[in-house]
Amino acid sequence: MEGDRIEEVRLVHSPVDEISHLALDIGGSLIKMVYFSTSREQPIDKTQINASRDSHAVSRSSKDGHLLNGRLYFLKFETSKINECLDFISSKQLHYRGLQHCGFPASDKNIIKATGGGAFKFADLFKEKLGISLDKVEEMSSLVSGANFLLKAVPSEAFTYVNGQRNYVQIDHNDLYPYLLVNIGSGVSMIKVDGDGKYERVSGTSVGGGTFWGLGKLLTKCKSFDDLLEMSHQGNNRVIDMLVGDIYGGMDYLKIGLSSTAIASSFGKAVSENRELEEYRPEDVARSLLRMISNNIGQIAYLNALRFGLKKIFFGGFFIRGHAYTMDTISVAVDFWSKGEAKAMFLRHEGFLGALGAFMNYQLVEEFPDTIHLAGEKNRNPLVGDLNDNGVIECCVQARPAVED
Amino acid sequence: MDGLRKDQSLVGATDNINEETNNITQKVISEGGEETMVPPVGNSIHRSSSRPQLDLSGAAIQGNFEERDPTILLPNQSDDISHLALDIGGSLIKLVYFSRHEDRVVNDKRKKSAKERFGVSNGNIRRTFPILGGRLHFVKFETAKINECLEFIHSKQLHRGDNDNAVIKVYTMFEKATGGGAYKFADLFKEKLGVSIEKEDEMDCLVAGANFLLKAIRHEAFTHKEGHKEFVQIDHNDLYPYLLVNIGSGVSMIKVDGDGKFQRVSGTNVGGGTYWGLGRLLTKCKSFDELLELSQRGDNSSIDMLVGDIYGGLDYSKIGLSASTIASSFGKAISENKEIEDYRPEDISLSLLRMISYNIGQISYLTALQLGIKRIFFGGFFIRGHAYTMDTISFAIQFWSKGGAQAMFLRHEGFLGALGAFMSYEKHGLDDLMVHQLVERFPMGAPYTGGKIHGPPLGDLNEKARWIQGPDLVCSNQKGTYFICNLLQISWMEKFVRKGIKITAPVPTASPRTTGLGGFEAPSSKGDTLRCDESNLNVGVLHLVPSLEVFPLLADPKTYEPNTIDLADPNELEYWFTVLSEHLPDLVDKAVASEGGTDDARRRGDAFARAFSAHLARLMEEPAAYGKLSLANLLELREECLREFNFFDAYSTIKHRENEASLAETRLLTLIEGVLAANIFDWGSRACVDLYHKGTIIEIYRMSRKKMQRPWRVDDFDAFKERMGFGDKKHQRHKRALLFVDNSGADVVVLVANSLPALNDVTAMELPEIVAEAAKHCDILRGAAEAGGLLMDAMINIQDSPREKSSSTPLMVVENGCGSPCIDLRQVSSELAAAAKDADLVCCFNILYIYLVILEGMGRALHTNYNARFKCDALKLAMVKNQRLAEKLIKGNIYDCVCRYEPAN
């Protein structure tokens, strides 16, 4: 499924010869990739990097701060099709060129920053196929530094989603912490973030994106996550879910504050009707599943925020994918359980938090809060201008060697 | 003697079963309408007029006259006499009803005199109005067979109120979403029974039900970790607030602050309906139970993405997750090119179960945390006593709270709603019941009260005996509709041959008079990887005995634990099960003989053996099935089981003979010697039974008297002698001594000769006769008995001056209200309680020490109460007739004696 879009990116955004610095987030279902490329429009700054420079020279030059203007590219692959990813890296020679640009010592040139469980699992594969060692970056810290970077550096990164309307939230950098970061990948991690590098995984749930996709695949025979999401858009969950109204005869059960359309039991109607799976529309099944999972995540996230007195909850991870209905359900859940006190916030680059965090681990990126703008914005409809699939951030990095620590 | 010992210690021994078998009436004693209406004396407020009274006009026997306990139709009752409440669910109908159980009117001079003497109706201080005793029954039916339910209600006359507008309270009627429709049921009930059904508020019901259970039943709540149940004692004064999580189709979380004070604080739409609904779609299972059953053989790692799958088998220890932690439920289904059909339904079911259980546990914990609630109770149909479900929820709570919180479950969880609906009747009279006023019994003939449903209820004893006997009999004697009964039998019996349990057949294998068990096909294909869900907890009949009280002389009722041996230890459990099993054939012989050895008696004896074996098997499999298991309960269960098959006194013949044969006189040392020696006469002990077969009882008695040379193994005799005034120091005489007698026979004589001022015998009904007989031989006794109002010709005196100093110390007999050879002093009869706290003395705390409690016999003094502490002097006497117990308790040998004297401090 990713083929088309990757192609598109390749054509539109990624000039082959200027790519550098690649980081991976290899999750259970998807591989997320972030790489930096100097852009064609903005030629490389005064930097003239000599590949043969010795380490002493490099460290000196870093003090000078060689700035590169370029773009951050965001790509994803299915983990099950990891070969596509390997081919992509191989064809682009990303690993090779990027390192050259940065002037790493020769001994380190076959290292790529990577995070996610797959960084462990596929380490041998990368070594064998590409001769690359994966420098494993701890997953939570990647997520957090990715999120911190986005929230501080990218304007209009966070938004609320209410009644189908995105409202971008201006984040006050001085009042960012603490916040709850809910990363919805295959599973869900909930991280309390208190500052740069200061965080704690406080909760999580196994009912996440993997559940949606996995169950959805079994129930609908859908071939891809996106198809499943798309289907859910056209579904009606009332066919399968038992609503409060179904139980209380169409009247709101006001005593406990539930409206008749509230879901009393997800898939509860499937219990009694003598309908087989095939007799349900896949769209309805997908919708019901999506609501169940989104609502559940929203609820658990809110309860955890409440527990730690956190006012801001950011949702990220590949499950959301800027999907309107998903965000809507999560927002409604948080709103419902908090009685309007809390708002769910989403990130435009939600899927790439980990990969971005791993990328940050190169320690290339200086503070550039005001210089970043999103290249993708120009090319996309702002209303659906999420960057979940593939996108670009125009930015400027400082080339310096990785700090050995 | 050595050889004898060896043999005996091998077979082991149980204690004192005989004395219990004849006092059925005491056991389930209920203060019937008339009796409780006796106006309380003293200053307690009499409000009985506001409470129901039985109107006996128009009473008629309903049904078969040959039944031992025919239903008596009392048509002129006020409408709260017999209550019935229902919970009509999608698959099961739960029924809770209350039946008055009239004490057979005992015109027993003993009882009357004792009552009057102690002012019993005044004894229960807490109660401001009389509560009628009775039984609370819990019954299940399959919803698909609602007609059985209707017939049952009809046959029991449960729906009969005193007016035509009788209403049955209902917790839920499953709704159109589940296919049935409330109207259908309403019509059905109107048509068949002429009653209306009225739906009660669900949450009101749940809370009322849970509050009742948690307050009234001692071992109701339990934790469940790694397959192990542990009952939790809830302090009634510290019950609130708690979080009640009801897992039905969806999940409601209710914060309960008190009676009728609660709030729904949270919930989730991912509940039982989700499990079943999704499970049905994914596995094509036909029922919830089938789905649950599947999960037992599942392996969720084939479909869930585990932390190990993501991290390549490494634990992700930094965030505290192990490799086997589920990272993403159903996450593996993503990447593999498999269709539904390629996955095992078992795996899917398990994965789904874990997902939902964890999720509920997590949200419950977070909710409780948010509200600062410590206790979380789970209930609802989703759980169904399913071990894995409870484990998963417990694990989630444990995990997320880092051990700070515990999930608790309720044994009557399935009846929460129906019970709550029952409580919603305005006058059920159960509000003020205290824990000690309830006794739970587990009759065999209540398939409905067990975990599973197997066929229609059993009407009478014949049916029960047939049902328990075997498929052939059932088939030939019953209507076709009763065939299903076999199922229960098989499902219970299969436990006998379960692998891994040493006792493969805790049943008499060959007994001359019983056919024993065997011949049953025994499916035993239970996987070992996951625990099975046969852990459905049994729910017995709750006997409401308002006259029961906590024994007032207990030093600290709160910490009092009657049982000396902890059956939580699997070795102990197995040992005692073996003992009971091996003793069974002999017991059956005795029981059958006591009923004249007729064919009918034999048939019942056989049925009893099967029934009790089934109980044992059930308990072996799931020791917590009937609540917290103890030796006392176990022995009581056996007595109850005997009574159930109409063996009211299995040892009656023997007792009678021995009582006559063994009247003798003694003095203090010989008294205690006598008690100890006579204590050998014990049909509960296998060792003793073997002994008796070799000689007459009196010979043995004499022989054992010789053996009784001091010092005994535990010997406080001198201290006791000193206290009794035989030493140099002068002591105030005990004002009243309470002697808990056990075995009938020789020791009764000893008691009598002992002239102790008050007696309590479990066979309180027959003791007066024995005393009267003995009095013919002994003047002291005669005087005492007269003074105590036991002898007819002395009756006149008691009204006048019961406490006037007479030449003799009065001797009285009271019942202890207990139904076991062991005694639980938290639940004794009000008669005994009154005897222990004479109205004059209650306020005078310093007088208590002049009381003396004598516990005698293995059941009362060793199995239970060996470690009990009293406010007054206590003497514990017993001969240890069990090698293992002797080693464990007193580091001695079988037939060692215990004379433990504990002065009040």
Side-chain angles (χ1 to χ4, degrees):
Chain A
M1 71 166 194
E2 309 303 329
D4 291 346
R5 288 184 185 134
I6 287 163
E7 197 63 30
E8 181 190 341
V9 170
R10 192 182 297 154
L11 292 173
V12 178
H13 297 296
S14 17
V16 171
D17 51 348
E18 294 167 23
I19 286 169
S20 74
H21 286 100
L22 175 116
L24 293 170
D25 174 5
I26 311 174
S29 337
L30 291 171
I31 299 172
K32 283 74 69 175
M33 179 191 289
V34 172
Y35 66 87
F36 179 76
S37 166
T38 50
S39 72
R40 276 182 304 197
E41 296 92 60
Q42 293 171 295
I44 300 167
D45 205 46
K46 49 187 172 178
T47 352
Q48 293 296 327
I49 294 160
N50 186 344
S52 65
R53 233 191 273 196
D54 64 19
S55 57
H56 180 69
V58 169
S59 63
R60 226 181 17 185
S61 83
S62 76
K63 280 175 194 160
D64 300 333
H66 297 293
L67 290 176
L68 292 106
N69 284 324
R71 289 173 175 181
L72 283 174
Y73 289 85
F74 300 88
L75 284 169
K76 66 181 165 58
F77 304 85
E78 282 184 58
T79 305
S80 56
K81 297 170 185 163
I82 192 163
N83 282 331
E84 288 181 6
C85 174
L86 293 172
D87 292 346
F88 180 78
I89 296 173
S90 179
S91 72
K92 299 283 185 187
Q93 296 195 303
L94 278 169
H95 53 289
Y96 196 63
R97 285 166 192 274
L99 298 168
Q100 272 187 335
H101 274 294
C102 285
F104 283 113
S107 59
D108 292 330
K109 70 177 186 179
N110 287 338
I111 290 176
I112 283 182
K113 297 281 184 187
T115 187
F120 295 84
K121 192 176 179 180
F122 298 111
D124 292 345
L125 191 69
F126 275 81
K127 192 78 191 166
E128 181 193 323
K129 294 256 177 166
L130 302 177
I132 289 176
S133 300
L134 298 181
D135 182 16
K136 296 160 197 84
V137 183
E138 203 274 321
E139 191 171 5
M140 293 300 141
S141 85
S142 300
L143 286 173
V144 171
S145 56
N148 282 348
F149 166 74
L150 288 169
L151 286 168
K152 286 197 289 192
V154 184
S156 304
E157 175 64 23
F159 60 91
T160 60
Y161 196 88
V162 181
N163 298 327
Q165 198 67 44
R166 280 175 185 228
N167 300 305
Y168 286 95
V169 178
Q170 202 64 46
I171 303 291
D172 179 354
H173 298 180
N174 300 319
D175 189 28
L176 175 60
Y177 308 111
Y179 67 86
L180 187 72
L181 177 62
V182 181
N183 185 60
I184 313 176
S186 299
V188 181
S189 283
M190 298 182 190
I191 305 160
K192 176 172 171 266
V193 182
D194 292 307
D196 270 328
K198 284 159 67 182
Y199 61 89
E200 185 193 357
R201 182 185 195 271
V202 291
S203 195
T205 164
S206 68
V207 186
T211 313
F212 176 61
W213 191 357
L215 265 178
K217 198 174 153 198
L218 293 181
L219 289 164
T220 66
K221 314 229 184 298
C222 208
K223 290 287 177 256
S224 83
F225 190 77
D226 290 313
D227 290 353
L228 191 63
L229 270 181
E230 185 56 37
M231 278 193 347
S232 75
H233 208 61
Q234 296 143 24
N236 176 6
N237 70 300
R238 293 183 187 203
V239 179
I240 303 175
D241 288 346
M242 190 186 289
L243 306 186
V244 169
D246 292 326
I247 297 178
Y248 295 101
M251 287 161 57
D252 290 13
Y253 197 51
L254 295 172
K255 191 178 169 187
I256 53 173
L258 296 176
S259 78
S260 61
T261 53
I263 302 173
S265 172
S266 289
F267 289 89
K269 259 184 207 162
V271 161
S272 54
E273 294 180 14
N274 291 320
R275 286 166 78 176
E276 299 297 317
L277 181 55
E278 293 72 28
E279 296 167 58
Y280 289 97
R281 289 173 62 221
E283 290 84 354
D284 298 340
V285 174
R287 176 81 157 205
S288 181
L289 201 54
L290 182 67
R291 279 198 73 168
M292 175 179 101
I293 291 167
S294 309
N295 192 34
N296 196 58
I297 293 171
Q299 182 179 13
I300 294 177
Y302 166 69
L303 284 169
N304 277 296
L306 194 70
R307 181 181 163 197
F308 295 102
L310 308 175
K311 296 210 177 66
K312 291 181 282 288
I313 311 175
F314 295 104
F315 290 85
F318 241 99
F319 174 63
I320 300 172
R321 310 175 80 112
H323 190 266
Y325 195 68
T326 313
M327 293 193 288
D328 206 29
T329 327
I330 291 175
S331 296
V332 167
V334 171
D335 187 66
F336 175 82
W337 292 110
S338 72
K339 300 192 173 70
E341 296 278 303
K343 289 267 178 291
M345 287 185 277
F346 303 90
L347 301 174
R348 303 184 67 192
H349 293 85
E350 65 214 351
F352 292 94
L353 295 182
L356 201 53
F359 182 82
M360 305 304 287
N361 198 262
Y362 282 119
Q363 309 251 340
L364 294 165
V365 181
E366 287 288 282
E367 289 186 12
F368 47 148
D370 301 323
T371 61
I372 284 192
H373 67 278
L374 294 170
E377 240 171 80
K378 298 173 198 157
N379 307 328
R380 288 164 185 262
N381 178 349
L383 278 181
V384 290
D386 55 273
L387 293 172
N388 289 295
D389 297 329
N390 302 297
V392 183
I393 294 181
E394 218 160 273
C395 64
C396 149
V397 303
Q398 181 186 44
R400 69 175 190 200
V403 175
E404 306 280 337
D405 54 0
Chain B
M1 212 56 212
D2 267 357
L4 183 62
R5 280 190 182 191
K6 209 185 254 173
D7 278 356
Q8 286 154 356
S9 61
L10 269 179
V11 290
T14 61
D15 201 25
N16 306 344
I17 62 153
N18 56 343
E19 86 266 28
E20 283 303 325
T21 50
N22 60 344
N23 68 335
I24 177 90
T25 49
Q26 284 179 263
K27 171 110 169 217
V28 291
I29 218 140
S30 13
E31 294 289 288
E34 282 180 327
E35 280 190 336
T36 30
M37 290 303 140
V38 172
V41 281
N43 54 0
S44 80
I45 304 156
H46 180 47
R47 284 206 222 133
S48 67
S49 57
S50 67
R51 304 304 299 178
Q53 298 193 21
L54 280 181
D55 182 349
L56 298 171
S57 62
I61 298 286
Q62 179 78 14
N64 186 356
F65 279 77
E66 286 171 359
E67 279 182 72
R68 186 91 182 203
D69 293 303
T71 306
I72 299 170
L73 179 61
L74 301 171
N76 303 321
Q77 300 305 322
S78 59
D79 61 356
D80 65 339
I81 287 301
S82 210
H83 286 319
L84 162 73
L86 288 168
D87 174 1
I88 307 173
S91 58
L92 295 176
I93 297 173
K94 319 277 178 52
L95 197 151
V96 169
Y97 71 93
F98 188 65
S99 64
R100 296 267 168 253
H101 248 262
E102 284 314 296
D103 197 2
R104 286 189 192 93
V105 181
V106 186
N107 274 328
D108 167 12
K109 58 181 181 288
R110 173 203 62 77
K111 200 169 173 183
K112 198 177 171 201
S113 69
K115 270 186 191 250
E116 284 170 6
R117 189 172 178 83
F118 299 124
V120 158
S121 41
N122 196 22
N124 197 339
I125 298 164
R126 277 177 295 261
R127 202 189 312 147
T128 50
F129 51 83
I131 303 170
L132 300 184
R135 296 175 185 178
L136 202 52
H137 301 258
F138 301 87
V139 185
K140 288 187 208 170
F141 296 86
E142 287 178 66
T143 306
K145 295 170 186 161
I146 191 164
N147 279 332
E148 285 177 4
C149 174
L150 293 169
E151 275 167 31
F152 182 80
I153 294 171
H154 185 75
S155 75
K156 295 271 180 188
Q157 296 289 320
L158 291 169
H159 59 295
R160 296 294 286 261
D162 63 346
N163 55 46
D164 294 333
N165 306 320
V167 165
I168 290 180
K169 304 272 190 182
V170 179
Y171 165 63
T172 62
M173 292 171 276
F174 72 100
E175 304 285 334
K176 62 174 193 268
T178 44
Y183 295 114
K184 190 175 115 188
F185 292 110
D187 290 349
L188 212 52
F189 274 81
K190 195 78 198 168
E191 181 192 327
K192 300 256 179 162
L193 301 173
V195 294
S196 314
I197 51 181
E198 188 176 291
K199 191 169 174 299
E200 293 300 306
D201 180 83
E202 277 188 70
M203 265 169 241
D204 287 343
C205 288
L206 288 175
V207 171
N211 280 349
F212 171 77
L213 290 170
L214 288 168
K215 283 193 292 189
I217 301 178
R218 185 165 284 131
H219 294 127
E220 177 63 23
F222 60 90
T223 60
H224 197 284
K225 286 175 203 157
E226 290 163 23
H228 180 72
K229 291 185 186 69
E230 195 168 310
F231 285 92
V232 180
Q233 187 107 33
I234 305 285
D235 181 354
H236 303 170
N237 301 318
D238 188 28
L239 174 62
Y240 307 112
Y242 66 85
L243 189 69
L244 180 62
V245 181
N246 183 55
I247 314 178
S249 297
V251 182
S252 283
M253 297 174 191
I254 306 162
K255 176 173 181 256
V256 182
D257 291 306
D259 273 329
K261 282 159 66 185
F262 62 88
Q263 190 193 354
R264 183 187 194 273
V265 288
S266 192
T268 162
N269 50 310
V270 186
T274 312
Y275 175 60
W276 191 0
L278 265 177
R280 205 179 70 81
L281 294 181
L282 289 164
T283 67
K284 316 245 182 281
C285 264
K286 291 281 173 277
S287 77
F288 183 83
D289 289 317
E290 189 186 338
L291 187 65
L292 211 50
E293 176 75 24
L294 277 182
S295 74
Q296 289 166 32
R297 300 188 297 271
D299 172 11
N300 67 305
S301 70
S302 72
I303 194 158
D304 285 346
M305 187 183 289
L306 308 183
V307 168
D309 293 326
I310 300 179
Y311 289 92
L314 295 165
D315 285 10
Y316 193 30
S317 50
K318 186 173 175 191
I319 52 173
L321 299 177
S322 77
S324 60
T325 304
I326 303 174
S328 173
S329 294
F330 288 89
K332 247 182 215 168
I334 287 172
S335 46
E336 296 177 18
N337 288 320
K338 283 175 159 181
E339 303 288 318
I340 289 191
E341 294 74 24
D342 301 325
Y343 290 98
R344 294 173 63 224
E346 289 88 347
D347 298 347
I348 291 176
S349 177
L350 182 62
S351 178
L352 208 51
L353 181 66
R354 285 190 69 168
M355 174 178 102
I356 291 167
S357 302
Y358 276 142
N359 197 61
I360 292 170
Q362 181 176 18
I363 294 177
S364 305
Y365 167 67
L366 287 169
T367 303
L369 192 73
Q370 176 198 345
L371 299 167
I373 296 174
K374 276 177 286 181
R375 278 178 291 269
I376 312 174
F377 296 101
F378 289 85
F381 87 80
F382 177 64
I383 296 176
R384 296 208 178 182
H386 190 256
Y388 199 78
T389 311
M390 292 192 284
D391 262 8
T392 319
I393 291 174
S394 296
F395 181 85
I397 299 276
Q398 177 107 2
F399 179 84
W400 291 113
S401 71
K402 299 193 170 70
Q406 281 187 327
M408 286 187 274
F409 304 89
L410 301 175
R411 205 154 54 80
H412 289 80
E413 158 261 304
F415 288 95
L416 212 53
L419 192 58
F422 180 85
M423 300 301 287
S424 70
Y425 285 102
E426 269 174 32
K427 289 183 284 179
H428 47 69
L430 301 180
D431 284 332
D432 298 328
L433 274 175
M434 309 296 287
V435 110
H436 59 261
Q437 291 168 326
L438 288 162
V439 181
E440 193 173 10
R441 310 233 181 267
F442 297 88
M444 194 65 186
Y448 299 88
T449 63
K452 292 191 171 178
I453 294 190
H454 303 278
L458 300 164
D460 60 11
L461 184 73
N462 277 338
E463 221 168 73
K464 197 183 288 182
R466 256 179 250 129
W467 157 72
I468 212 129
Q469 256 174 342
D472 293 334
L473 277 166
V474 173
C475 294
S476 58
N477 292 337
Q478 294 297 333
K479 292 172 282 180
T481 48
Y482 288 82
F483 283 5
I484 323 158
C485 295
N486 302 340
L487 290 176
L488 172 99
Q489 180 187 311
I490 290 165
S491 72
W492 277 37
M493 296 308 167
E494 76 182 72
K495 309 295 187 316
F496 291 174
V497 287
R498 238 180 123 245
K499 278 184 206 161
I501 295 177
K502 235 178 167 182
I503 304 172
T504 48
V507 181
T509 42
S511 171
R513 294 215 182 137
T514 60
T515 56
L517 267 178
F520 294 112
E521 288 298 316
S524 58
S525 57
K526 282 264 183 296
D528 285 344
T529 46
L530 284 167
R531 288 173 301 280
C532 67
D533 76 333
E534 296 298 325
S535 59
N536 282 323
L537 297 168
N538 289 39
V539 173
V541 175
L542 274 185
H543 291 235
L544 273 51
V545 193
S547 61
L548 288 181
E549 290 189 47
V550 179
F551 189 60
L553 295 176
L554 278 179
D556 183 5
K558 268 194 175 164
T559 56
Y560 170 79
E561 165 59 52
N563 290 287
T564 312
I565 299 158
D566 186 7
L567 289 188
D569 176 352
N571 292 327
E572 290 291 343
L573 184 68
E574 193 173 326
Y575 173 76
W576 288 105
F577 272 44
T578 315
V579 164
L580 287 176
S581 305
E582 287 174 349
H583 183 67
L584 197 51
D586 192 69
L587 178 58
V588 171
D589 284 355
K590 293 285 178 302
V592 171
S594 77
E595 299 271 315
T598 61
D599 283 350
D600 173 63
R602 212 161 292 148
R603 207 165 59 84
R604 281 188 285 126
D606 192 28
F608 156 73
R610 289 165 195 271
F612 186 60
S613 299
H615 279 305
L616 283 184
R618 176 81 181 93
L619 284 166
M620 195 68 210
E621 164 122 333
E622 176 53 64
Y626 300 172
K628 192 178 179 185
L629 185 61
S630 68
L631 204 50
N633 299 350
L634 211 48
L635 294 173
E636 183 167 343
L637 182 68
R638 184 171 64 176
E639 300 310 315
E640 184 62 27
C641 197
L642 272 171
R643 283 186 282 265
E644 196 183 344
F645 289 95
N646 276 8
F647 293 108
F648 290 104
D649 191 354
Y651 292 90
S652 60
T653 16
I654 296 158
K655 270 198 294 196
H656 191 58
R657 195 176 63 225
E658 299 297 346
N659 283 339
E660 282 180 349
S662 58
L663 298 170
E665 80 287 344
T666 49
R667 303 190 52 124
L668 187 63
L669 173 60
T670 42
L671 266 178
I672 291 179
E673 262 184 23
V675 169
L676 292 169
N679 200 231
I680 199 174
F681 171 70
D682 185 347
W683 288 103
S685 159
R686 180 57 180 264
C688 297
V689 170
D690 290 351
L691 207 58
Y692 301 148
H693 286 156
K694 292 167 190 157
T696 77
I697 197 76
I698 283 295
E699 278 169 31
I700 297 165
Y701 177 67
R702 296 216 173 94
M703 184 194 76
S704 60
R705 282 275 288 278
K706 279 183 204 131
K707 273 195 68 215
M708 255 359 94
Q709 300 304 317
R710 292 186 61 205
W712 303 305
R713 188 72 202 175
V714 174
D715 191 345
D716 295 334
F717 176 73
D718 292 332
F720 182 62
K721 191 172 113 184
E722 161 77 22
R723 175 65 187 89
M724 291 305 283
F726 291 90
D728 301 332
K729 273 194 264 173
K730 254 276 200 248
H731 285 274
Q732 198 179 356
R733 289 194 61 194
H734 285 109
K735 181 146 186 170
R736 177 168 290 166
L738 303 167
L739 175 51
F740 292 77
V741 298
D742 69 334
N743 300 316
S744 179
D747 58 346
V748 171
V749 181
V750 175
L751 280 174
V752 169
N754 197 11
S755 309
L756 289 168
L759 282 179
N760 168 29
D761 191 349
V762 282
T763 60
M765 288 283 285
E766 62 180 14
L767 197 52
E769 288 169 35
I770 298 165
V771 172
E773 186 59 30
K776 291 176 189 165
H777 304 266
C778 172
D779 288 340
I780 301 172
L781 178 62
R782 181 176 169 79
E786 280 176 355
L790 276 173
L791 298 182
M792 227 19 156
D793 49 20
M795 283 296 284
I796 285 164
N797 299 331
I798 56 164
Q799 295 291 359
D800 308 336
S801 51
R803 286 181 202 93
E804 213 171 85
K805 197 169 182 189
S806 72
S807 56
S808 303
T809 318
L811 174 68
M812 286 166 294
V813 176
V814 293
E815 62 192 6
N816 66 13
C818 174
S820 160
C822 303
I823 186 166
D824 181 343
L825 292 171
R826 289 171 301 201
Q827 298 186 292
V828 300
S829 74
S830 53
E831 223 176 71
L832 171 57
K837 52 166 186 198
D838 194 295
D840 300 347
L841 302 175
V842 173
C843 309
C844 258
F845 193 76
N846 63 337
I847 299 184
L848 284 173
Y849 74 94
I850 61 166
Y851 273 54
L852 172 66
V853 167
I854 303 174
L855 290 159
E856 184 265 309
M858 266 177 77
R860 299 196 160 87
L862 297 182
H863 289 326
T864 52
N865 301 313
Y866 188 65
N867 301 318
R869 291 274 170 266
F870 296 90
K871 288 175 182 166
C872 61
D873 295 350
L875 185 66
K876 295 162 185 171
L877 301 171
M879 174 188 269
V880 193
K881 281 148 295 187
N882 175 290
Q883 179 64 29
R884 184 187 176 98
L885 196 65
E887 287 168 16
K888 209 175 171 85
L889 229 51
I890 56 170
K891 298 190 171 56
N893 285 309
I894 189 165
Y895 302 126
D896 275 350
C897 293
V898 172
C899 172
R900 194 180 199 185
Y901 174 66
E902 294 158 336
N905 36 351

